[in-house]
Amino acid sequence: MLVKKIILGRISFLKTNFIYLCFSLKKMSTLFRKIRKKMADDNRPVKYMRYAIGEIVLVVIGILIAIQINNWNEGEKEKLEELDYINSFLQDLENDRLQLESNSEYGMITINGHDSLSSELSKRPLQGREKKLYHFFNLQNTGIGIPHHDRTITQLKYSGKFRIIGNQDVVDAILDYDTRIINLKNFNEGAYKTNVANNTLIDIANVFDLNMAFQFAEASLSSIDNFEKVNYPTGLSLLSYDDQAIRHLRNTLVQGRTLDVFVQQTNDELLQMNKDLQALIRKAYY
């Protein structure tokens, strides 16, 4: 905010000087017209030419000075616009950071849920383990979404305003971050991951009562470390205890876990990029 006030003060100062210069040029032009008329009336052409040339030179200098002041004024306006974009982008980064940090927590819940569910499914007999199985199913089903608050960078891209961001290191870092987060978002929402998720859901639906599970999904998340606190009904059971169906489900869960680990690790890398970019921008502009 202090930088913005300084720039506004400079713009006001330049405007005042520009108006004063125009007023002074107008007064001098009137004075020279009077002198020129007197010279012409006195029939003194040589001196008249000298004054005429002097007047022309003065006007040219005045125009050049006015152009320079106007250029300074436009430059200060661009600096102010640059700061507005920088402040807006920092807010977008902050919004991304909050969700990326949340992803770091919930992503690990998903991965640990995968591991716990696979471990429980490998034990025999499964009867009597149903509460644990439903609990870990709900945890591994948490998943994460990749944020992309792109309001400011979209404006910069499509308005051609990237040119006013004067620090090239900041521009390069912004574009690198934006590319990485778009790529991860596309992967996380893409056909391959969606296909794996759908196949996993089919295998899960053969073993678990999904309507029952989803009723207690929120309670499972609020009691991650103690499934006994989740008020599952008595007589809870799986839809199938068939060994082949269980083994097939475990294999499918491994594939899903691999993708979730990749997304989690890339999310954490993006979180660090986000923090580094925020630090770079603040160092460059504040």
Side-chain angles (χ1 to χ4, degrees), residues 50-103:
R50 289 175 181 171
Y51 276 103
I53 293 171
E55 182 178 359
I56 292 171
V57 171
L58 180 64
V59 170
V60 170
I61 291 174
I63 292 173
L64 292 175
I65 293 174
I67 291 173
Q68 186 63 40
I69 290 176
N70 185 62
N71 289 340
W72 286 339
N73 188 33
E74 290 302 316
E76 295 300 314
K77 284 182 179 178
E78 284 200 347
K79 287 181 182 178
L80 187 60
E81 189 175 12
E82 179 185 16
L83 276 179
D84 284 339
Y85 277 118
I86 289 297
N87 288 330
S88 179
F89 184 72
L90 281 173
Q91 184 59 57
D92 291 343
L93 277 180
E94 179 69 13
N95 292 334
D96 279 353
R97 183 183 63 78
L98 292 174
Q99 190 167 342
L100 289 169
E101 287 177 340
S102 177
N103 285 350

Side-chain angles (χ1 to χ4, degrees), residues 144-147 182-194 263:
I144 59 177
I146 305 303
I182 288 174
N183 288 341
L184 181 59
K185 187 175 181 67
N186 289 341
F187 173 81
N188 198 46
E189 299 172 358
Y192 179 65
K193 192 167 188 296
T194 301
V263 172

Side-chain angles (χ1 to χ4, degrees), residues 30-43:
T30 302
L31 176 62
F32 273 110
R33 277 198 297 272
K34 289 181 180 179
I35 295 172
R36 184 177 59 208
K37 185 176 184 303
K38 189 174 186 303
M39 292 290 181
D41 292 342
D42 293 345
N43 196 25

Side-chain angles (χ1 to χ4, degrees), residues 106-125:
Y106 281 94
M108 287 309 303
I109 292 174
T110 298
I111 294 167
N112 291 335
H114 271 295
D115 294 339
S116 298
L117 180 58
S118 292
S119 176
E120 286 299 315
L121 287 171
S122 68
K123 298 174 182 178
R124 295 294 183 273

